[in-house]
Amino acid sequence: HEFYVSVTDIYVDAQKAQINGVVKCFPDDWERAMNALLSHQLERYVQLDSATQDSLHRVYLKKHFNVKVGQQPIALTFSGTVTGPDEVYLLFEGPMEMPFEAYKKDWNVSHTLLADIYPSQENIVILHYSGQKYTSSCREGNNYEFNHSF
């Protein structure tokens, strides 16, 4: 297909004092990206066990998805993969290291996931903060990055 898109939800959870999120993408797009990472090896993504796949996911997500609030990077860690018939879900989380109110402004999201494989990739991001949400897109036209304050 000619359209490549992912949807990422980022939740600020004051009760748990952490940032939670999920990246949703199509399984065939994701498999192609993982095979590209393995191109120097003789293995294919579908041949890997789940622990090895998760290790690849962790590395790829860390390289291609970064969030800052103010000047402070959010220490997001990959927490698992759920694969359904139509989507791959990459789960992540990170601690809230600042007071809850600090997360109201100066979000910077850099999201190049799959853009190294599909130049037309669009990564839609939905920020959820205190009952509000903001939706934007990371794509070639904005260098896969956006800024927002609630």
Side-chain angles (χ1 to χ4, degrees):
H1 51 88
E2 62 185 86
F3 298 103
Y4 299 94
V5 65
S6 75
V7 176
T8 301
D9 284 280
I10 303 170
Y11 299 89
V12 180
D13 187 338
Q15 289 183 321
K16 293 183 181 177
Q18 72 179 33
I19 309 295
N20 298 306
V22 59
V23 178
K24 297 168 269 192
C25 56
F26 292 104
D28 57 332
D29 296 348
W30 187 252
E31 183 178 337
R32 184 172 166 197
M34 295 300 99
N35 281 330
L37 288 177
L38 295 167
S39 64
H40 64 284
Q41 299 175 13
L42 298 177
E43 293 180 292
R44 302 289 291 167
Y45 176 72
V46 294
Q47 297 171 324
L48 303 176
D49 62 41
S50 62
T52 305
Q53 287 180 347
D54 277 350
S55 180
L56 269 178
H57 300 174
R58 181 177 294 107
V59 169
Y60 192 74
L61 192 64
K62 184 174 182 160
K63 180 179 178 181
H64 291 281
F65 181 65
N66 296 287
V67 178
K68 290 181 184 177
V69 175
Q71 295 301 313
Q72 182 167 336
I74 306 298
L76 298 173
T77 56
F78 171 77
S79 57
T81 306
V82 177
T83 304
D86 298 322
E87 291 181 306
V88 172
Y89 302 92
L90 305 170
L91 310 174
F92 60 87
E93 59 190 20
M96 287 177 62
E97 297 176 331
M98 301 180 294
F100 179 70
E101 285 296 314
Y103 292 90
K104 187 173 185 169
K105 59 182 182 171
D106 299 327
W107 283 82
N108 175 270
V109 177
S110 174
H111 196 340
T112 60
L113 202 80
L114 300 174
D116 54 336
I117 308 300
Y118 310 106
S120 63
Q121 177 70 27
E122 182 170 4
N123 295 312
I124 297 168
V125 179
I126 306 167
L127 298 175
H128 301 263
Y129 172 83
S130 191
Q132 301 175 65
K133 70 179 183 178
Y134 173 75
T135 303
S136 192
S137 177
C138 294
R139 61 188 180 283
E140 188 176 33
N142 64 5
N143 294 319
Y144 297 96
E145 187 173 306
F146 74 88
N147 298 288
H148 177 71
S149 293
F150 286 95

